[in-house]
Amino acid sequence: MERELKHLLIAIGLGLLLGGLIVQRWHKLDFPESVVFVEITNTLNEVVPLVRIEHGSDFLQERILLTQFRPNETRLIRLNHELGKGYTIEAQLKNKEKIEACVGRYATQWVEHIEIGLSGIRSVD
């Protein structure tokens, strides 16, 4: 009787493990996009009224707008995007001038650090 109980507990444990692995794989197939974090810092001595981040893939196109970005302010943004694929950042300054850059190409870290400054938009990684 004790031996049958051991076998039953082992079978239940293996079933739960196998079920968990199947659910995990199904979830990955259902949600193929990964996540990238972008830490953006305004190093200018003025408010940046609008920052636009755009990226896309086979499954989605996303645009994120940041408004009233104060001097020396840092914001952390989450993108539903694959690591190393690149994305566009455009900053509209107070004098209506726009600066933009494509960043994030060939990135190897899940958090990318971006600065908006006098020399434009650049990755500091």
Side-chain angles (χ1 to χ4, degrees):
M1 174 100 172
E2 191 173 303
R3 186 174 174 178
E4 292 172 356
L5 183 60
K6 269 186 181 178
H7 287 146
L8 179 63
L9 290 176
I10 290 173
I12 289 172
L14 289 174
L16 288 173
L17 180 65
L18 182 62
L21 290 173
I22 290 171
V23 167
Q24 179 195 23
R25 295 307 262 167
W26 173 77
H27 181 73
K28 277 191 168 263
L29 288 174
D30 209 23
F31 301 99
E33 294 295 325
S34 45
V35 176
V36 176
F37 292 95
V38 181
E39 185 180 81
I40 304 174
T41 302
N42 177 9
T43 61
L44 296 171
N45 290 328
E46 64 181 53
V47 171
V48 176
L50 181 67
V51 175
R52 178 180 294 132
I53 303 169
E54 293 188 28
H55 65 89
S57 69
D58 295 340
F59 303 107
L60 63 89
Q61 181 71 31
E62 186 173 45
R63 176 182 295 160
I64 298 172
L65 301 175
L66 307 175
T67 59
Q68 302 304 314
F69 207 176
R70 295 184 306 263
N72 298 313
E73 181 181 5
T74 298
R75 296 188 190 177
L76 184 64
I77 308 300
R78 178 183 166 260
L79 304 180
N80 297 318
H81 197 54
E82 289 185 52
L83 182 65
K85 292 292 184 176
Y87 48 92
T88 303
I89 297 180
E90 177 186 287
Q92 181 178 341
L93 305 178
K94 275 188 171 180
N95 61 3
K96 303 296 183 196
E97 182 183 338
K98 292 181 182 178
I99 53 175
E100 68 178 294
C102 183
V103 294
R105 286 188 187 165
Y106 316 114
T108 57
Q109 298 176 351
W110 291 104
V111 178
E112 184 161 4
H113 304 277
I114 304 294
E115 286 184 354
I116 300 172
L118 293 174
S119 61
I121 298 171
R122 67 184 185 95
S123 174
V124 293
D125 290 330

